[in-house]
Amino acid sequence: MERIIGIDLGTTNSLCATVFEDGPEVIEAAGASSTTPSVMSWTDSGWLVGQEARESGITNPENTIFSIKRLMGRDLNELGDYVNQLPYQIVEAQRQLIKVRIGENEYTPQELSAEILKKVKMQAEAVLGETIQKAVITVPAYFDDAQRQATRDAARFAGLEVARIINEPTAAAIAYGLDEKKEGHVAVYDLGGGTFDISILKLSGKIFKVVATHGNTQLGGDDFDKAVADALKERIQKINPDATFDDPESKLLLKQNAESIKTELSFSPESSYSLEFPKTGLTFDGVFKVDEFESLISQMIEQTLESCSHVLREAKLAVEQIDEVVLVGGSTVIPIVRKKIESFFGKPPHVAIDPYKVVAIGAGIQGHLLAGGRRDFLLLDVIPLALGIETLGGTFSKIITGNTTIPAEESETFTTNVDNQTSIDVNIFQGERELIKDCRALGQFKLRGIPPMKSGYPLVEVLFCVDANGILTVSATEKRSGQKAEIEVIPFHGLTQFEIERIIEDSYEHALDDFNQRQLIEFRQTAERVFRGIEQSWDVAENSLSGNERTEIRKQMESVRQSMQGQDAQALKVQLDLLGDLTRPLADNAIGRKILAELQENESVI
Ligand code: ADP
Ligand code: MG
């Protein structure tokens, strides 16, 4: 079967995907980024394409071409004023068609786009170890015939035969297997680097039809970067009113820092920065908070939602008639963007596949099907790795076991280990090992406001819920007080099938060791509890046991302590059992029974 790869030829970034034995995945070299910035820079030694070109962009603006996709299949008339905003030079070829002039040479947008495709193709060939001749390439739903034809030409120049051109939103819906459903309406919200698109697809008989599209060709993550960069400038000028940022180095520095602050704020409530301007030698340190970022971009997010309302009106659909919402584009990773989309559509969007990969993956699946492949891989219909929380001593308590089909829901009750604990940290992990140090952290939250109680008395119910989209919601409720807290996470974000398999294999390999480690931790905890029980009821022992018996108990406690220092779980168990035998006479009275109960009890503590 001749492979047909899928290529997402983006305005900002391009990448490709295919169906491997384990299912569809982007094609990336180990340790390298899977995306190629859609940027090229002309140098004395020829074209630089991708990341290097992007970095040289600000210092070498006239020779650096970005956003070439906006020029594909367009003539001067259609582009209007836009050509004047570009730092590189546009010239008119015959019949209003355009070319880009670099030095002495002129290039059509198709030729330039071909450079990006060549780079993507070459990288894929290096990873796969085979030559690639055919591809499915995606384009925005609103691309007209001329733009689609230009895309085909670009592929031909890059030595690729186009098996099919498909719409980006359609590719995203295919990636989620939505084409396997019978019928319905899918909204695809795509917020990339420089453009926003909303598309409504209608599915019937496994075929998607684009019923309406809307968007903004001048709105995207670049604008968020600019907002952050402007805020940084303002901060700096407050301290240093004479600071200027017009030289290329300062511009580059600001833009790069703004983007990395933005990206970090998708995963953390604040981002600290340390800027050092080489020209002036000035340095500025500070912290950017997510609230500030959110207020900077909120107006722009509102604009995208207005487009969503518009497109629904155009499609003559009420928002309730949208059955599925799919997120596409790097900028939809931003939590506030997700939140606003969810509240607009009244349902959680599909996010289980990385939004920057989803179009390429859908195109890869389409290519696989066109090449005669079958769609017998299942996308996230089971939970591949156990999900659970950290319990005392760094142990991993599984709440949902691996291989459970989704949607799934499980709960378990835990208690505390310390008296008067008024808050509890819930640390969420996934993995197949016994200790959290060998598992993958997914998130954490605090359950606060628990009234002071003795240890072991609070009842904390932890509920794990994985919905049909693979999104995990974890909640914790203290049953006696009714206090509740919860968090939402995407468990398999960024994990490939291959990594999942490696994690499972690792767990087999370490099974015995892990078991011993875990028992050791648990027996040590039991021992601590037993010691506490004995100390608490020592009065009783003084009245009911002989001096000899009490000495024996003390001696045995010492032996247990020594075993607790060791690494042998079974040896510790033997010593603990001996202590149990010695304290058995205490069972005749109430407090003594409590001690024995402690010995047998094995409830998990958070
Ligand atoms: P395009 O479809 O235009 O080629 P992409 O889908 O690749 O664009 O999105 C690129 C944009 O996504 C950039 O502005 C980039 O800064 C932004 N982006 C990527 N990752 C994140 C993240 N974790 N948080 C916020 N923005 C991100
Ligand atoms: Mg895109």
Side-chain angles (χ1 to χ4, degrees), residues 356-381:
Y356 71 90
K357 290 180 174 176
V358 65
V359 166
I361 286 183
I365 293 171
Q366 184 67 52
H368 174 75
L369 297 177
L370 288 174
R374 285 178 29 198
R375 186 172 188 143
D376 43 11
F377 42 81
L378 294 168
L379 277 160
L380 288 172
D381 57 346

Side-chain angles (χ1 to χ4, degrees), residues 10-13 192-194 221-222 225 259 262-263 266-267 329-331 333-334:
T11 310
T12 320
N13 294 303
D222 293 343
D225 298 345
E259 188 174 5
K262 172 187 79 173
T263 309
S266 289
F267 307 104
S331 302
V333 175
I334 299 171

